[in-house]
mmCIF file of all heavy atoms in Angstrom:
data_model
loop_
_atom_site.group_PDB
_atom_site.id
_atom_site.type_symbol
_atom_site.label_atom_id
_atom_site.label_comp_id
_atom_site.label_asym_id
_atom_site.label_seq_id
_atom_site.Cartn_x
_atom_site.Cartn_y
_atom_site.Cartn_z
ATOM 1 N N PHE A 302 -16.960 -6.745 21.878
ATOM 2 C CA PHE A 302 -17.251 -7.143 23.273
ATOM 3 C C PHE A 302 -17.902 -6.012 24.056
ATOM 4 O O PHE A 302 -18.867 -6.221 24.752
ATOM 5 C CB PHE A 302 -15.890 -7.536 23.932
ATOM 6 C CG PHE A 302 -15.985 -7.795 25.417
ATOM 7 C CD1 PHE A 302 -16.367 -9.063 25.926
ATOM 8 C CD2 PHE A 302 -15.725 -6.786 26.316
ATOM 9 C CE1 PHE A 302 -16.461 -9.245 27.282
ATOM 10 C CE2 PHE A 302 -15.809 -6.997 27.688
ATOM 11 C CZ PHE A 302 -16.188 -8.261 28.153
ATOM 12 N N THR A 303 -17.399 -4.789 23.850
ATOM 13 C CA THR A 303 -17.929 -3.605 24.508
ATOM 14 C C THR A 303 -19.336 -3.313 24.057
ATOM 15 O O THR A 303 -20.242 -3.051 24.872
ATOM 16 C CB THR A 303 -17.006 -2.415 24.305
ATOM 17 O OG1 THR A 303 -15.684 -2.735 24.755
ATOM 18 C CG2 THR A 303 -17.523 -1.179 25.039
ATOM 19 N N LEU A 304 -19.544 -3.325 22.747
ATOM 20 C CA LEU A 304 -20.903 -3.062 22.188
ATOM 21 C C LEU A 304 -21.888 -4.087 22.682
ATOM 22 O O LEU A 304 -22.996 -3.744 23.065
ATOM 23 C CB LEU A 304 -20.801 -3.061 20.678
ATOM 24 C CG LEU A 304 -20.182 -1.787 20.062
ATOM 25 C CD1 LEU A 304 -19.699 -2.082 18.639
ATOM 26 C CD2 LEU A 304 -21.227 -0.670 20.007
ATOM 27 N N CYS A 305 -21.492 -5.359 22.673
ATOM 28 C CA CYS A 305 -22.391 -6.418 23.124
ATOM 29 C C CYS A 305 -22.705 -6.258 24.622
ATOM 30 O O CYS A 305 -23.863 -6.457 25.030
ATOM 31 C CB CYS A 305 -21.790 -7.783 22.839
ATOM 32 S SG CYS A 305 -22.924 -9.166 23.087
ATOM 33 N N SER A 306 -21.726 -5.924 25.432
ATOM 34 C CA SER A 306 -21.945 -5.651 26.854
ATOM 35 C C SER A 306 -22.973 -4.556 27.050
ATOM 36 O O SER A 306 -23.889 -4.680 27.867
ATOM 37 C CB SER A 306 -20.636 -5.260 27.539
ATOM 38 O OG SER A 306 -19.668 -6.247 27.416
ATOM 39 N N ALA A 307 -22.850 -3.532 26.244
ATOM 40 C CA ALA A 307 -23.772 -2.398 26.331
ATOM 41 C C ALA A 307 -25.182 -2.774 25.895
ATOM 42 O O ALA A 307 -26.152 -2.331 26.502
ATOM 43 C CB ALA A 307 -23.268 -1.230 25.465
ATOM 44 N N MET A 308 -25.268 -3.596 24.870
ATOM 45 C CA MET A 308 -26.585 -4.062 24.401
ATOM 46 C C MET A 308 -27.256 -4.911 25.496
ATOM 47 O O MET A 308 -28.465 -4.834 25.705
ATOM 48 C CB MET A 308 -26.421 -4.869 23.151
ATOM 49 C CG MET A 308 -26.047 -4.041 21.886
ATOM 50 S SD MET A 308 -26.006 -5.137 20.417
ATOM 51 C CE MET A 308 -24.720 -4.335 19.469
ATOM 52 N N CYS A 309 -26.490 -5.754 26.163
ATOM 53 C CA CYS A 309 -27.022 -6.576 27.254
ATOM 54 C C CYS A 309 -27.608 -5.669 28.361
ATOM 55 O O CYS A 309 -28.703 -5.920 28.877
ATOM 56 C CB CYS A 309 -25.949 -7.476 27.830
ATOM 57 S SG CYS A 309 -25.519 -8.907 26.857
ATOM 58 N N SER A 310 -26.858 -4.626 28.694
ATOM 59 C CA SER A 310 -27.324 -3.692 29.740
ATOM 60 C C SER A 310 -28.627 -3.033 29.287
ATOM 61 O O SER A 310 -29.571 -2.884 30.072
ATOM 62 C CB SER A 310 -26.243 -2.634 29.982
ATOM 63 O OG SER A 310 -26.662 -1.738 30.979
ATOM 64 N N TYR A 311 -28.704 -2.629 28.043
ATOM 65 C CA TYR A 311 -29.925 -1.993 27.526
ATOM 66 C C TYR A 311 -31.083 -2.966 27.550
ATOM 67 O O TYR A 311 -32.216 -2.633 27.989
ATOM 68 C CB TYR A 311 -29.719 -1.486 26.134
ATOM 69 C CG TYR A 311 -31.019 -0.889 25.540
ATOM 70 C CD1 TYR A 311 -31.521 0.309 25.997
ATOM 71 C CD2 TYR A 311 -31.694 -1.592 24.524
ATOM 72 C CE1 TYR A 311 -32.745 0.817 25.514
ATOM 73 C CE2 TYR A 311 -32.903 -1.085 24.030
ATOM 74 C CZ TYR A 311 -33.402 0.120 24.507
ATOM 75 O OH TYR A 311 -34.580 0.613 24.011
ATOM 76 N N SER A 312 -30.823 -4.207 27.161
ATOM 77 C CA SER A 312 -31.870 -5.230 27.139
ATOM 78 C C SER A 312 -32.453 -5.476 28.517
ATOM 79 O O SER A 312 -33.654 -5.603 28.655
ATOM 80 C CB SER A 312 -31.339 -6.542 26.576
ATOM 81 O OG SER A 312 -32.328 -7.527 26.502
ATOM 82 N N VAL A 313 -31.584 -5.493 29.520
ATOM 83 C CA VAL A 313 -32.053 -5.693 30.900
ATOM 84 C C VAL A 313 -32.984 -4.557 31.260
ATOM 85 O O VAL A 313 -34.047 -4.787 31.973
ATOM 86 C CB VAL A 313 -30.888 -5.732 31.873
ATOM 87 C CG1 VAL A 313 -31.359 -5.635 33.347
ATOM 88 C CG2 VAL A 313 -30.097 -6.996 31.656
ATOM 89 N N SER A 314 -32.753 -3.333 30.814
ATOM 90 C CA SER A 314 -33.570 -2.179 31.166
ATOM 91 C C SER A 314 -34.918 -2.138 30.497
ATOM 92 O O SER A 314 -35.849 -1.494 30.961
ATOM 93 C CB SER A 314 -32.807 -0.875 30.885
ATOM 94 O OG SER A 314 -32.777 -0.628 29.479
ATOM 95 N N ILE A 315 -35.050 -2.873 29.377
ATOM 96 C CA ILE A 315 -36.257 -2.668 28.517
ATOM 97 C C ILE A 315 -37.036 -3.948 28.208
ATOM 98 O O ILE A 315 -38.240 -3.873 27.996
ATOM 99 C CB ILE A 315 -35.856 -1.985 27.208
ATOM 100 C CG1 ILE A 315 -37.046 -1.374 26.493
ATOM 101 C CG2 ILE A 315 -35.154 -2.984 26.276
ATOM 102 C CD1 ILE A 315 -37.619 -0.170 27.147
ATOM 103 N N SER A 316 -36.422 -5.122 28.240
ATOM 104 C CA SER A 316 -37.084 -6.289 27.614
ATOM 105 C C SER A 316 -37.814 -7.228 28.573
ATOM 106 O O SER A 316 -38.045 -8.383 28.245
ATOM 107 C CB SER A 316 -36.074 -7.054 26.769
ATOM 108 O OG SER A 316 -35.115 -7.718 27.580
ATOM 109 N N SER A 317 -38.179 -6.762 29.762
ATOM 110 C CA SER A 317 -38.989 -7.569 30.660
ATOM 111 C C SER A 317 -40.354 -7.871 30.026
ATOM 112 O O SER A 317 -40.844 -7.100 29.221
ATOM 113 C CB SER A 317 -39.197 -6.794 31.976
ATOM 114 O OG SER A 317 -40.249 -7.322 32.701
ATOM 115 N N ILE A 318 -40.943 -9.025 30.419
ATOM 116 C CA ILE A 318 -42.280 -9.320 29.881
ATOM 117 C C ILE A 318 -43.333 -8.367 30.393
ATOM 118 O O ILE A 318 -44.449 -8.310 29.912
ATOM 119 C CB ILE A 318 -42.666 -10.792 30.145
ATOM 120 C CG1 ILE A 318 -42.874 -11.023 31.681
ATOM 121 C CG2 ILE A 318 -41.730 -11.768 29.528
ATOM 122 C CD1 ILE A 318 -43.561 -12.355 31.990
ATOM 123 N N ASN A 319 -42.966 -7.522 31.372
ATOM 124 C CA ASN A 319 -43.907 -6.530 31.852
ATOM 125 C C ASN A 319 -44.062 -5.394 30.875
ATOM 126 O O ASN A 319 -45.010 -4.559 30.982
ATOM 127 C CB ASN A 319 -43.419 -5.998 33.210
ATOM 128 C CG ASN A 319 -43.432 -7.052 34.270
ATOM 129 O OD1 ASN A 319 -44.320 -7.898 34.331
ATOM 130 N ND2 ASN A 319 -42.415 -7.029 35.156
ATOM 131 N N ASN A 320 -43.165 -5.266 29.916
ATOM 132 C CA ASN A 320 -43.205 -4.183 28.935
ATOM 133 C C ASN A 320 -43.767 -4.696 27.611
ATOM 134 O O ASN A 320 -43.483 -5.836 27.201
ATOM 135 C CB ASN A 320 -41.793 -3.622 28.718
ATOM 136 C CG ASN A 320 -41.210 -2.990 30.002
ATOM 137 O OD1 ASN A 320 -41.973 -2.491 30.821
ATOM 138 N ND2 ASN A 320 -39.903 -3.026 30.155
ATOM 139 N N ASP A 321 -44.482 -3.836 26.927
ATOM 140 C CA ASP A 321 -44.995 -4.136 25.603
ATOM 141 C C ASP A 321 -43.929 -3.667 24.595
ATOM 142 O O ASP A 321 -43.692 -2.474 24.447
ATOM 143 C CB ASP A 321 -46.298 -3.398 25.338
ATOM 144 C CG ASP A 321 -46.847 -3.606 23.938
ATOM 145 O OD1 ASP A 321 -46.298 -4.464 23.183
ATOM 146 O OD2 ASP A 321 -47.793 -2.917 23.578
ATOM 147 N N LEU A 322 -43.289 -4.601 23.894
ATOM 148 C CA LEU A 322 -42.222 -4.254 22.965
ATOM 149 C C LEU A 322 -42.691 -4.254 21.496
ATOM 150 O O LEU A 322 -41.858 -4.176 20.586
ATOM 151 C CB LEU A 322 -41.046 -5.255 23.138
ATOM 152 C CG LEU A 322 -40.470 -5.346 24.520
ATOM 153 C CD1 LEU A 322 -39.268 -6.295 24.523
ATOM 154 C CD2 LEU A 322 -39.990 -3.950 25.014
ATOM 155 N N SER A 323 -43.988 -4.331 21.280
ATOM 156 C CA SER A 323 -44.518 -4.436 19.937
ATOM 157 C C SER A 323 -44.094 -3.244 19.061
ATOM 158 O O SER A 323 -43.908 -3.369 17.830
ATOM 159 C CB SER A 323 -45.980 -4.596 19.877
ATOM 160 O OG SER A 323 -46.649 -3.513 20.518
#
Side-chain angles (χ1 to χ4, degrees):
F302 172 86
T303 302
L304 283 158
C305 189
S306 300
M308 291 183 211
C309 284
S310 179
Y311 176 71
S312 182
V313 169
S314 74
I315 198 70
S316 68
S317 163
I318 65 168
N319 296 322
N320 297 329
D321 176 10
L322 301 183
S323 60

